[in-house]
Amino acid sequence: MTGTALRPRMRALALAAAVAVGLGGAALAGPATASGTDDVLEVGETASSNMTLLANLPKSGAFADVASYNSDLAFKDDYAFAGNYNGFTVYDIKQARKPKQVVQVVCPGSQNDITVQGDLLFLSVDSRRTDDSCSSAAATAAQSGTGAYWEGIRIFDISNPAAPRYVKAVETDCGSHTHTLVPDGDDIYVYVSSYGPNVGIARCQPPHDKISIVKVPVADPAAAAVVATPVLFPEGGLTPTTAGCHDITAYPEKDLAAGACMGEGVIMDISTPAAPKVLDRVADTENFAFWHSATFNNDASTVVFTDELGGGGAATCNPTVGPEKGANAIYELSGAGQLDFASYYKIPRTQSSTENCVAHNGSLIPVKGADIMVQAWYQGGTSVFDFTDPANPVELAWFDRGPLSAEALVLGGSWSSYYYDGYVYSNDIQQGFDVFEVKDRRVASGKAGKYAEDFNPQTQPSY
């Protein structure tokens, strides 16, 4: 979720929902079990005949409040890790049709964008806190101005998924809105995306045309530290809105990364992880408002960029906005790292004026010989589409829960929809953790694809 205009409000709501915890560490809540579809709050739910909601675990405990937003997802073995502005939840998905909540960790700090690698879990904190602990409070304006605050990356040990242990915090300039893992032998490099420089924030001064790179020794994660802050745009952005990056997707096997940097999209060579090099940059001043995220196809010949028009909080899936704004832009990628525009893709269903709807987080379905992606669209639901022909993308399946309210726009919908080991998992901002099944011959071969250990959609594996 983003958007320069929306960000302060989002921070305020998230912090208002913060739950007090005991001194020092994260608070842990106990397990819950799946409700199944009969217990889901149904408000106009519709879907294509080939996509079924198998289970839903509603938000609960410290995360139940409407202002406690669910965010991103990551996966490891038989577990899903779900971010929330108040912390994160661990789910047991060994039986995908009957997921169980294992533990809830209370550790406020928006957005709590989440990844896992081996026994380590990483959270992005993009709200200024009084300190780096899970019991911190929101920093005041005065503290922000003087530097008496913390924001950045938190690291947890999840060797026991039922009892995550807080290991380390690393501060980064302008905090961490999102982050991306780039494994490299005995180390993990964390690419930290942040934006929104402000002269009133001590360690977030303009210009902010850089990312922060944190090096994490796997054997000693407590030694994690910022090792580089490369400036991606030394001569400024292609558009005035470029001031940092929102999200980066790495494809380590191809030595490539695609950055969505607010006002533009970039392709980077990451063969030296601590020193990424920009290969190409593109802008779309006619139709793209906010370059939000990116996904490569399997052979890295195509990149799907998303436009988060309205910052995730607006109703943009309607004929007034049209099919090219708040959409995906699909680019073909040459061997030299050059981008060429192919087409736009936007869900074809009109959403109501009380539904925030725009392109958001998704991942590939590992289908041999085809480029098929599942993607979240907030209250537009979840869409599965084929972009094997980059110039002619087509939708294959979809699920739409319907508006949370017919009278007013209540922020909600699917933040992230990802395919993992045969099922689609979604983290709905208000409605909780969902499990879907897509039964369609065009994606059936995807069930054979298994991830070796862990899966972070912004660190793409090949299949």
Side-chain angles (χ1 to χ4, degrees), residues 48-54 97 365 372 374 382-384 396-399 419 422-424 435-445 447:
S48 60
S49 60
N50 56 355
M51 188 164 182
T52 305
L53 175 63
L54 301 176
R97 295 170 181 269
I365 297 179
I372 298 175
V374 59
T382 294
S383 175
V384 178
L396 305 181
W398 56 274
F399 173 88
Y419 190 89
Y423 296 90
V424 172
V435 184
F436 298 95
E437 186 173 33
V438 179
K439 288 188 175 181
D440 189 294
R441 60 177 177 76
R442 294 165 292 186
V443 303
S445 65
K447 280 187 172 287

Side-chain angles (χ1 to χ4, degrees), residues 70-71 73 75 376 381-382 401 413-418 424-429 432-436:
N70 278 339
S71 58
L73 291 168
F75 304 88
T382 294
R401 186 168 260 132
S414 178
W415 181 291
S416 299
S417 292
Y418 299 133
V424 172
Y425 296 90
S426 168
N427 208 21
D428 188 292
I429 294 170
F433 183 70
D434 292 322
V435 184
F436 298 95

Side-chain angles (χ1 to χ4, degrees), residues 288-350:
F288 256 46
F290 193 96
W291 295 70
H292 172 273
S293 53
T295 301
F296 291 96
N297 70 341
N298 191 51
D299 65 6
S301 62
T302 306
V303 184
V304 178
F305 287 101
T306 66
D307 172 22
E308 197 185 38
L309 174 66
T316 74
C317 297
N318 54 58
T320 302
V321 175
E324 298 177 342
K325 299 179 188 294
N328 296 328
I330 302 173
Y331 284 78
E332 294 186 84
L333 180 62
S334 72
Q338 303 301 297
L339 292 164
D340 293 303
F341 175 77
S343 69
Y344 296 104
Y345 171 77
K346 190 172 183 178
I347 57 171
R349 290 165 300 287
T350 296

Side-chain angles (χ1 to χ4, degrees), residues 51-87:
M51 188 164 182
T52 305
L53 175 63
L54 301 176
N56 168 266
L57 280 169
K59 294 198 303 182
S60 63
F63 302 167
D65 190 84
V66 69
S68 185
Y69 306 131
N70 278 339
S71 58
D72 211 2
L73 291 168
F75 304 88
K76 170 183 167 62
D77 298 327
D78 294 327
Y79 296 95
F81 300 82
N84 180 282
Y85 276 50
N86 272 334

Side-chain angles (χ1 to χ4, degrees), residues 5-353:
L6 183 66
R7 186 183 181 197
R9 181 174 70 85
M10 298 301 298
R11 281 184 165 182
L13 286 173
L15 296 177
V19 178
V21 296
L23 292 176
L28 305 182
T33 58
S35 63
T37 55
D38 290 343
D39 296 329
V40 177
L41 177 62
E42 296 185 3
V43 280
E45 179 182 300
T46 56
S48 60
S49 60
N50 56 355
M51 188 164 182
T52 305
L53 175 63
L54 301 176
N56 168 266
L57 280 169
K59 294 198 303 182
S60 63
F63 302 167
D65 190 84
V66 69
S68 185
Y69 306 131
N70 278 339
S71 58
D72 211 2
L73 291 168
F75 304 88
K76 170 183 167 62
D77 298 327
D78 294 327
Y79 296 95
F81 300 82
N84 180 282
Y85 276 50
N86 272 334
F88 65 94
T89 304
V90 181
Y91 295 103
D92 182 336
I93 56 171
K94 186 173 185 178
Q95 297 184 60
R97 295 170 181 269
K98 297 180 179 180
K100 299 176 182 179
Q101 179 179 304
V102 176
V103 68
Q104 186 182 88
V105 179
V106 178
C107 196
S110 70
Q111 300 180 131
N112 276 334
D113 187 58
I114 192 167
T115 60
V116 296
Q117 181 74 36
D119 289 335
L120 299 178
L121 178 147
F122 302 84
L123 291 179
S124 279
V125 179
D126 193 26
S127 54
R128 292 174 296 283
R129 312 293 299 175
T130 51
D131 58 58
D132 62 12
S133 74
C134 290
S135 55
S136 64
T140 65
Q143 289 171 320
S144 296
T146 61
Y149 67 87
W150 178 90
E151 58 181 343
I153 292 286
R154 288 173 173 147
I155 305 173
F156 288 78
D157 183 315
I158 54 167
S159 52
N160 179 359
R165 180 175 59 86
Y166 193 0
V167 174
K168 172 77 172 182
V170 180
E171 186 172 28
T172 57
D173 290 346
C174 290
S176 174
H177 196 71
T178 65
H179 68 274
T180 303
L181 304 186
V182 181
D184 185 50
D186 295 332
D187 301 309
I188 300 170
Y189 289 89
V190 184
Y191 286 13
V192 175
S193 295
S194 57
Y195 63 93
N198 188 316
V199 293
I201 302 175
R203 291 183 293 282
C204 190
Q205 296 293 301
H208 183 72
D209 293 328
K210 65 183 181 181
I211 61 172
S212 296
I213 300 179
V214 177
K215 181 179 179 181
V216 183
V218 174
D220 185 15
V226 174
V227 294
T229 54
V231 175
L232 301 183
F233 316 112
E235 298 177 358
L238 295 176
T239 72
T241 55
T242 302
C245 290
H246 176 274
D247 211 335
I248 295 170
T249 291
Y251 199 157
E253 195 172 312
K254 304 288 187 180
D255 287 333
L256 289 173
C261 299
M262 303 173 65
E264 60 194 89
V266 304
I267 296 295
M268 292 178 280
D269 178 334
I270 59 169
S271 54
T272 303
K277 297 178 180 178
V278 174
L279 299 176
D280 197 20
R281 302 162 61 185
V282 291
D284 182 350
T285 55
E286 181 177 357
N287 288 315
F288 256 46
F290 193 96
W291 295 70
H292 172 273
S293 53
T295 301
F296 291 96
N297 70 341
N298 191 51
D299 65 6
S301 62
T302 306
V303 184
V304 178
F305 287 101
T306 66
D307 172 22
E308 197 185 38
L309 174 66
T316 74
C317 297
N318 54 58
T320 302
V321 175
E324 298 177 342
K325 299 179 188 294
N328 296 328
I330 302 173
Y331 284 78
E332 294 186 84
L333 180 62
S334 72
Q338 303 301 297
L339 292 164
D340 293 303
F341 175 77
S343 69
Y344 296 104
Y345 171 77
K346 190 172 183 178
I347 57 171
R349 290 165 300 287
T350 296
Q351 304 294 307
S352 73
S353 61

